Amino acid sequence: MEIADYDKANQLATGFIKEGSAYCKAIGYGYVAEILAKKNSLDSAKKCIKESETIFNTLNCINSNKYRFLSQSAECAFYENNYELSLNLNLKALESAIDDNNNAQIAQCYVRVANIFIRMGQPEKARHYSVLAKNVIDKLPESYKKYQLYNVLANRYNNLYQDFKEPKFLDTIEFFMTGIRMYALKAGKYNRLIEQYYRKKAFLSLKTKDFTASLKFLDSASEVLKKFPLKFELYSIHGDRANIYRKLKQFKTAELFADSCLFFALQDNIVSSITNAYDIVYMVAKDAGKSDKALWAFENLKHINDSITGVKNTSKIIELEQKYNKVQNEKTIKELNQETEIKSLRIKILISTTALAVLLTITIIFFYRQSSIKNKQKVLETEQRLNRSRINPHFFFNAITTLQGLAVKENDGKKIATSLYKFSSLMRQTLESSYTDYISIETELDFINKYIELQQLKEKNKFSIETNIDPELEISEILIPAMLIQPFLENSIEHGFNSIAHKGLIHLKFTAENRSLRIIISDNGQGFNPNDLAEKKHIPRAMQITKDRLYLLNKGNNGNATFSVKENTPSGVVVDILLPLIYK
């Protein structure tokens, strides 16, 4: 239930309770609980959730409404600032939504979890769940719910922009707005979604310091509210206007809007709105030089914040008092000892501690210098080996020979020109990779496709390749070591498929696993050649290159990247590479 005008929503929900069937009453209590939670009447909200649960138990349909109870309870915990409990309940609600295969509920859980991590000061986790939410919402069918979720997710991307200051988050919000506007206008000029579109556009204009455009969008939002009144939005729009006029140094106008913002926030009686309104009044009065009013707003703001965090602060004070009393008792016991014994003990401890500290310092310095020298030497040796082993030069010679044969036999100018362009592009990317340690998965895949096309030209389509990418991966944003995959592809083509009777197949797979990136390369070739292993050719060459790359990756990022090579079933080789998730 989207709660915009709480009084109207409360009337509808109360009607369910008074006049509906037992099932409708249970639903009505749930809606009332959502309204009460947003109005910070949390004890009453919990009672309504319990009443709804009791009715559903009587009707023997508690399991089918499990998601509803968990999400409503999570919302109550969130408004109580109990983020750990809210997170736990939301994750349980997510499990229920996944069991029901309900993508809208899954996306809703991801959005709420992202908001919790933002409130807990963990922006990296917030970004992860925001991306998951976007991927799920993108797949939803066209509906009001889809674009309402986009609208809520835009708020999370606004928070991410505040934390990371990356323009791409604003670009994503702009992308959301295009779809929101198109769908909202289908429902007419005056609706909740189009009002939110104007609000978000005002925010984007404010970020570019286009105050005139921002005010125009807020005016458009106000026009919608005249036909579709929402008390909560009235408070928010007046607050946005106050901030804009404050930045324009038009303090008289800013003060009027700040006062109106506080008036509507107090009417709506939502704690988060009231604290935000007092903060706006404080900033406007402070910049306008009205110290008395600024102090008044600040004291009210502090009083509300203290009342919210009072329980936590009390427990911290008790804990500090206990620690202090313990220290004082220990001090009293020590003072009862004889002075001469204390002095003697102190001297012995001082001498022993000093000698131990000197010895320990010398030992640490010695081992650190030895380790540092060895590490620097190994890094230099590894980097030199990598620069010499980027790609097998025989491939370039074979590719040129293939192009010559194509020119002589087929005399197809267009095909020759296309192949030559691919070859030159591949060579350019290879040379550029010598100066780039990391590239995106998207860039690596582009290089691999060009490499495979030229190899297939030489091998007369003797093999094919299949690529599978986890949809949760942002391939344009995640980085991997440059040319990490090519040596293994080369081994499969040049040696794995060298003498097989069937058509070769390479399977390349990218997945996300526990904050790590897993890359699996498998083929159906002839597998390991014992002679090659003994002479350290082919697969061992690719293994040494990868070993060196992962050594540098682990050293530079304090990571735990690994890889393994084993026989495939029924034939061929499987390479399993595990890397840390690194973003641009």
Side-chain angles (χ1 to χ4, degrees):
M1 180 179 188
E2 183 193 0
I3 302 171
D5 188 325
Y6 297 134
D7 292 338
K8 186 176 181 180
N10 190 53
Q11 289 175 5
L12 293 172
T14 303
F16 283 173
I17 296 172
K18 290 181 177 179
E19 302 176 8
S21 62
Y23 186 86
C24 288
K25 287 181 179 180
I27 296 294
Y29 276 120
Y31 286 158
V32 171
E34 293 180 31
I35 298 168
L36 291 171
K38 291 183 182 295
K39 293 175 74 67
N40 212 41
S41 299
L42 300 175
D43 290 337
S44 299
K46 291 176 183 177
K47 289 179 181 178
C48 287
I49 293 173
K50 188 65 179 177
E51 191 69 31
S52 177
E53 186 178 6
T54 301
I55 297 174
F56 277 127
N57 265 322
T58 303
L59 297 173
N60 293 321
C61 56
I62 188 69
N63 289 332
S64 61
N65 290 275
K66 182 179 179 181
Y67 173 85
R68 183 189 305 276
F69 299 125
L70 289 169
S71 61
Q72 289 170 349
S73 299
E75 192 147 348
C76 284
F78 179 83
Y79 285 108
E80 282 182 318
N81 300 313
N82 191 342
Y83 300 134
E84 292 183 7
L85 175 59
S86 182
L87 178 62
N88 183 42
L89 291 169
N90 270 307
L91 292 177
K92 288 181 179 179
L94 177 60
E95 291 178 4
S96 176
I98 292 173
D99 290 340
D100 295 339
N101 198 28
N102 190 321
N103 284 333
Q105 291 179 351
I106 292 171
Q108 204 164 20
C109 285
Y110 283 145
V111 171
R112 287 201 297 257
V113 170
N115 194 27
I116 291 170
F117 281 123
I118 286 170
R119 295 295 182 94
M120 294 174 72
Q122 299 186 41
E124 287 291 350
K125 291 184 179 179
R127 172 161 60 180
H128 172 70
Y129 281 97
S130 295
V131 171
L132 291 179
K134 181 181 180 300
N135 291 340
V136 176
I137 297 172
D138 288 343
K139 298 174 184 177
L140 292 176
E142 295 294 302
S143 64
Y144 178 87
K145 183 65 177 178
K146 175 176 183 174
Y147 289 99
Q148 190 267 341
L149 285 169
Y150 271 141
N151 174 58
V152 178
L153 185 59
N155 295 329
R156 304 292 78 78
Y157 274 80
N158 174 23
N159 297 132
L160 292 174
Y161 173 76
Q162 302 296 336
D163 285 321
F164 294 100
K165 303 301 181 186
E166 295 179 10
K168 67 179 181 181
F169 293 120
L170 296 181
D171 295 337
T172 304
I173 296 175
E174 190 70 67
F175 167 76
F176 292 158
M177 292 304 101
T178 302
I180 289 172
R181 182 178 183 276
M182 290 177 60
Y183 196 85
L185 288 176
K186 292 180 181 179
K189 293 182 179 180
Y190 305 105
N191 58 74
R192 163 76 164 164
L193 206 54
I194 194 65
E195 184 267 338
Q196 283 290 293
Y197 164 78
Y198 290 134
R199 292 290 314 283
K200 297 296 191 303
K201 291 293 288 185
F203 160 76
L204 292 171
S205 299
L206 188 60
K207 290 302 175 186
T208 59
K209 297 185 178 180
D210 189 347
F211 300 126
T212 302
S214 186
L215 287 170
K216 286 182 178 178
F217 281 120
L218 290 175
D219 288 342
S220 298
S222 296
E223 286 299 314
V224 175
L225 293 179
K226 290 179 181 178
K227 305 284 184 178
F228 188 69
L230 304 170
K231 292 179 182 178
F232 173 81
E233 295 299 330
L234 287 172
Y235 127 80
S236 189
I237 287 176
H238 284 303
D240 289 344
R241 282 173 170 156
N243 275 325
I244 292 172
Y245 282 112
R246 178 177 66 86
K247 291 180 180 181
L248 292 171
K249 299 189 183 303
Q250 298 181 25
F251 297 120
K252 187 174 181 180
T253 305
E255 188 175 5
L256 290 173
F257 282 116
D259 291 342
S260 298
C261 169
L262 180 59
F263 171 78
F264 285 112
L266 291 170
Q267 270 198 338
D268 212 22
N269 196 31
I270 299 176
V271 173
S272 60
S273 302
I274 295 171
T275 56
N276 192 39
Y278 272 122
D279 189 41
I280 292 170
V281 172
Y282 163 72
M283 289 189 296
V284 170
K286 177 175 171 290
D287 289 356
K290 294 187 175 182
S291 55
D292 291 344
K293 188 172 184 178
L295 179 61
W296 169 80
F298 180 80
E299 287 177 343
N300 278 281
L301 178 63
K302 185 176 183 300
H303 174 73
I304 295 173
N305 287 332
D306 288 344
S307 66
I308 293 174
T309 58
V311 174
K312 294 182 179 179
N313 288 338
T314 300
S315 62
K316 289 181 180 178
I317 291 170
I318 294 172
E319 183 181 354
L320 289 173
E321 285 179 344
Q322 290 174 345
K323 289 182 178 180
Y324 175 79
N325 290 334
K326 182 179 179 180
V327 172
Q328 289 298 105
N329 291 335
E330 291 175 353
K331 184 178 179 181
T332 303
I333 293 171
K334 288 181 180 179
E335 289 175 349
L336 295 175
N337 295 326
Q338 295 181 4
E339 188 69 23
T340 55
E341 292 180 356
I342 294 175
K343 288 182 179 180
S344 176
L345 182 61
R346 286 176 178 173
I347 292 171
K348 289 179 181 179
I349 292 174
L350 180 62
I351 294 173
S352 300
T353 304
T354 303
L356 182 61
V358 170
L359 180 61
L360 185 61
T361 302
I362 293 172
T363 304
I364 291 172
I365 292 173
F366 174 78
F367 280 107
Y368 175 80
R369 289 190 64 188
Q370 292 297 315
S371 177
S372 178
I373 291 170
K374 289 181 180 179
N375 285 339
K376 287 180 181 178
Q377 182 179 351
K378 190 165 186 179
V379 169
L380 290 174
E381 291 173 353
T382 303
E383 289 177 340
Q384 291 172 3
R385 189 186 301 122
L386 290 176
N387 286 331
R388 292 194 302 268
S389 305
R390 289 289 188 178
I391 190 169
N392 191 340
H394 291 118
F395 167 71
F396 290 115
F397 301 145
N398 293 338
I400 293 173
T401 302
T402 301
L403 293 175
Q404 288 175 339
L406 188 67
V408 173
K409 293 179 181 179
E410 297 188 17
N411 196 27
D412 187 340
K414 184 176 180 181
K415 188 173 182 180
I416 295 169
T418 302
S419 300
L420 189 59
Y421 170 77
K422 292 177 181 177
F423 174 75
S424 63
S425 177
L426 182 65
M427 179 175 284
R428 177 178 57 79
Q429 285 183 262
T430 302
L431 295 175
E432 288 177 350
S433 71
S434 298
Y435 303 97
T436 304
D437 290 331
Y438 299 96
I439 59 175
S440 67
I441 296 177
E442 188 177 54
T443 304
E444 179 76 353
L445 288 173
D446 178 62
F447 172 84
I448 288 171
N449 289 334
K450 293 174 183 175
Y451 175 80
I452 292 298
E453 287 176 5
L454 284 174
Q455 283 283 18
Q456 287 178 330
L457 184 66
K458 181 170 75 72
E459 298 294 341
K460 303 298 183 183
N461 291 318
K462 187 178 179 180
F463 69 93
S464 61
I465 184 169
E466 294 179 357
T467 303
N468 184 273
I469 303 171
D470 190 332
E472 292 183 5
L473 293 174
E474 293 181 278
I475 61 173
S476 62
E477 299 296 323
I478 298 175
L479 300 177
I480 62 174
M483 296 187 65
L484 179 69
I485 301 170
Q486 185 276 333
F488 295 105
L489 299 180
E490 177 184 311
N491 180 81
S492 295
I493 297 166
E494 297 292 338
H495 308 291
F497 303 152
N498 188 30
S499 57
I500 61 174
H502 56 278
K503 184 174 182 179
L505 174 64
I506 299 173
H507 190 252
L508 181 58
K509 185 177 181 181
F510 295 80
T511 57
E513 295 184 12
N514 298 325
R515 301 180 185 175
S516 298
L517 171 67
R518 185 176 294 279
I519 304 173
I520 297 178
I521 310 160
S522 60
D523 66 48
N524 64 345
Q526 60 183 341
F528 289 109
N529 187 326
N531 294 328
D532 287 344
L533 286 172
E535 296 174 13
K536 297 184 178 181
K537 298 178 182 177
H538 310 324
I539 276 287
R541 174 185 174 274
M543 289 172 65
Q544 185 59 53
I545 292 173
T546 305
K547 183 178 179 181
D548 293 341
R549 303 304 302 278
L550 298 189
Y551 169 78
L552 289 177
L553 176 64
N554 288 334
K555 185 170 180 60
N557 295 276
N558 293 321
N560 190 28
T562 61
F563 85 104
S564 63
V565 181
K566 61 183 179 182
E567 290 275 5
N568 198 3
T569 303
S571 66
V573 175
V574 177
V575 180
D576 189 350
I577 304 172
L578 189 66
L579 305 172
L581 277 174
I582 302 174
Y583 289 87
K584 286 184 179 179

